[in-house]
Amino acid sequence: MKKLSSYLPILDWGRSYTRATATDDLVAAVIVTIMLIPQSLAYALLAGLPPEIGLYASILPLVAYAIFGTSRALAVGPVAVVSLMTASAVGNIAAQGTPEYLGAAIALAVLSGLMLVAMGLLRLGFLANLLSHPVISGFITASGLIIAASQIKHLAGIQASGHTLVEIASALVSRIGETNPYTLAVGLPATAFLFWVRGGLKPLLLRAGLGPRTADIIAKSGPVAAVAATTAAAEIFDLGEKGVKLVGAIPSSLPVPALPGFDPALWSQLAGPALLISAIGFVESVSVAQTLAAKKRQRIVPDQELIGLGAANLASGLSGGYPVTGGFARSVVNFDAGAATPAAGAFTAVGIAMATLFLTPLIANLPQATLAATIIVAVLSLVDFKALARVHAYSKSDFTAMAGTIAVTLGFGVETGVVTGVAVSLALYLYRNSRPHMAIVGIVPGTEHFRNVNRHKVITGDKVLSVRVDESLFFANSRFLEDRLTELVAERPALKHVVLMCPAVNEIDASALESLEEINRRLLDAGVGFHLSEVKGPVMDRLQRTDFLKHLNGEVFLTQYEAFAALDPDTAHIAEARKPRKATRADFWIGPEI
């Protein structure tokens, strides 16, 4: 039963489900439903799909995640970045508005779902750690700018297309003279109102005496008010006849589950984009889920999250939707509204289904400019240029990666930006680990502690070179270790022993083992002993299964102090003779590590 619960988390939290919990979930579901209806319509528009597809992608996927997901607060559904990536991927295959375009979007959801489930079953959740946060932040910032720019055409009522910021800007400038003033009269006020609602309405309501939770709920309902007001205006003033594009008739029916057609050629074309969407969607989703779970001391299981998101995407594809993932804004609202279990998502799905059946006739006259305003306000909250300054101040290499990802995404499109971000993340990882931090260390007088000679006043001696390596040893950095030790030994003609201090070495792979053997041979030929100290148990277990220790021309010491005392007792005695005293600032030289 326990093993089954690990794959079906609903069996875990479902056993303790109470009426009070259900009440909390229902309240949260009502609030998220109100927020999700206009978002679903808007994000479907962004993906180049009919508006009802956004509603379809907000029903069964939520139920599937409630069964298989581990987050108590994550709200799954269409999101801006994945919608943009869907439009980019499917737009290379078919024209918007055609059955082929919709079929490709559905196939993309199914393929993404299969990939996510497979990754979860193979326990590949750790792969999310290979994407650095600066790179993801840069990609989301650039995507937000592209999405916002792509929606300006709907605010102005003009035709303009493009996959990059340069293409979109060029198209907008060339068509600016065709702006429809009636569309602009709807879009600009709607955008200004939504920006004001996001930042200014809640403080106003609090000053009026409303409670924080009530004020927050009303503020989050701003898009619904914009939808109602502009829909009424379009009907009263007959804006459709004046060139304002409206959503039009939306089918008042629920999606009928069906298997998408299997076209090997189509699926092979979508495989790459599906993998990128899966990776970005999972990273975004699990980051939000972990942040919210930490606030309630709950636990997220990344491998099971892959299965939960995979099930949600499969459900979306099988019910005529497109790729989905966990949304940041919706999840925060769900959390703040008091969602206690994933059942809140299932209740939200019921709310969206009811809206699809009974409310869609009311929004036939909804201007597309209002949906564009909703998207612009939502995505610009993701743009974080201040992060560039923060990252630049902390790490120049991370800043380069972040800025590069932004530039490539803006200049060449989201798919190229994602690939570049992944490549840069892996390159940074390998570069940093290929040059492990190594420090020459000496003994602190009056103690048994060893510290970096460039940061502390320590005693070293001429006979023993003590080197601390602060990374695990593997194929990417083993040659650097060889070269660095060779260089250090060559600089010290009186040297008799080298001690490699390994307190931070958690693993030594086969390539690094060969490097250690080569170092041992070189030092043996030079008449210098090679020793290890403070080797961790699991690392020692693996070394003992090889011939390395048999050929080692030195010893393995339990502590660095034992090695120093045994190999250079005269210098060790000098260190012991110095009485310990309280450290002062003069004992430290603040400078860069070596």
Side-chain angles (χ1 to χ4, degrees), residues 418-431:
V418 173
V419 173
T420 300
V422 172
V424 169
S425 293
L426 293 175
L428 277 175
Y429 173 80
L430 291 174
Y431 174 76

Side-chain angles (χ1 to χ4, degrees), residues 193-404:
F193 171 75
L194 291 174
F195 270 119
W196 174 75
V197 164
R198 180 176 288 269
L201 181 57
K202 184 177 178 180
L204 184 65
L205 295 173
L206 291 174
R207 287 196 296 270
L210 292 181
R213 187 172 182 183
T214 303
D216 191 58
I217 292 171
I218 295 175
K220 292 295 193 299
S221 303
V224 178
V227 166
T230 55
T231 300
E235 188 168 354
I236 293 171
F237 298 106
D238 198 18
L239 295 180
E241 293 298 320
K242 295 179 173 64
V244 177
K245 287 190 176 182
L246 307 177
V247 168
I250 298 177
S252 298
S253 59
L254 295 177
V256 177
L259 290 172
F262 177 69
D263 181 349
L266 174 64
W267 283 45
S268 64
Q269 282 182 280
L270 293 174
L275 182 60
L276 296 177
I277 287 173
S278 300
I280 293 298
F282 172 64
V283 171
E284 180 180 354
S285 178
V286 79
S287 298
V288 175
Q290 288 175 334
T291 299
L292 297 178
K295 294 183 178 182
K296 290 189 175 181
R297 298 188 180 184
Q298 295 169 348
R299 179 171 173 261
I300 298 300
V301 183
D303 293 327
Q304 184 60 31
E305 280 298 289
L306 283 167
I307 295 174
L309 291 174
N313 276 279
L314 285 172
S316 183
L318 295 177
S319 58
Y322 70 102
V324 298
T325 192
F328 176 76
R330 283 197 303 273
S331 298
V332 172
V333 170
N334 197 37
F335 179 86
D336 290 341
T341 72
F347 293 148
T348 300
V350 174
I352 297 295
M354 299 295 288
T356 303
L357 286 173
F358 302 111
L359 297 182
T360 48
L362 302 178
I363 56 176
N365 289 320
L366 171 63
Q368 290 188 10
T370 304
L371 296 180
T374 302
I375 294 173
I376 289 172
V377 174
V379 300
L380 286 183
S381 67
L382 303 176
V383 176
D384 186 8
F385 285 119
K386 291 182 180 179
L388 279 168
R390 293 194 301 269
V391 173
H392 181 268
Y394 185 76
S395 170
K396 299 300 186 292
S397 59
D398 281 335
F399 169 78
T400 302
M402 185 177 183

Side-chain angles (χ1 to χ4, degrees), residues 406-546:
I406 292 175
V408 171
T409 303
L410 292 177
F412 298 94
V414 291
E415 289 188 10
T416 306
V418 173
V419 173
T420 300
V422 172
V424 169
S425 293
L426 293 175
L428 277 175
Y429 173 80
L430 291 174
Y431 174 76
R432 288 168 178 164
N433 285 278
S434 68
R435 301 177 64 84
H437 176 253
M438 295 172 62
I440 300 173
V441 298
I443 190 169
V444 178
T447 75
E448 295 184 4
H449 300 294
F450 286 76
R451 293 292 184 268
N452 190 333
V453 298
N454 292 314
R455 286 187 175 268
H456 302 265
K457 289 186 175 180
V458 294
I459 297 173
T460 57
D462 298 326
K463 296 180 180 178
V464 178
L465 173 65
S466 299
V467 179
R468 189 188 69 223
V469 59
D470 294 331
E471 299 281 353
S472 290
L473 302 177
F474 69 119
F475 67 92
N477 61 28
S478 57
R479 182 57 61 88
F480 178 83
L481 176 67
E482 284 186 49
D483 295 342
R484 182 60 177 149
L485 285 181
T486 300
E487 177 185 350
L488 292 174
V489 170
E491 295 171 352
R492 292 163 173 78
L495 192 66
K496 298 299 182 183
H497 302 279
V498 172
V499 183
L500 189 64
M501 192 176 172
C502 306
V505 177
N506 296 312
E507 184 178 4
I508 298 175
D509 75 357
S511 297
L513 179 62
E514 290 185 5
S515 291
L516 291 179
E517 291 171 341
E518 179 62 25
I519 292 168
N520 184 56
R521 282 193 291 269
R522 291 180 187 176
L523 294 179
L524 179 62
D525 293 341
V528 177
F530 183 43
H531 312 268
L532 304 179
S533 73
E534 302 189 13
V535 181
K536 291 187 174 181
V539 177
M540 193 65 182
D541 291 340
R542 296 184 67 176
L543 291 178
Q544 288 174 337
R545 294 198 294 268
T546 71

Side-chain angles (χ1 to χ4, degrees), residues 56-69 74-77 109-110 112-114 116-117 285 304-319 321-326:
Y56 295 167
S58 304
I59 301 175
L60 286 185
L62 280 68
V63 177
Y65 183 81
I67 296 172
F68 294 98
L74 189 70
V76 172
V110 173
S112 178
L114 291 172
L116 286 164
V117 170
S285 178
Q304 184 60 31
E305 280 298 289
L306 283 167
I307 295 174
L309 291 174
N313 276 279
L314 285 172
S316 183
L318 295 177
S319 58
Y322 70 102
V324 298
T325 192

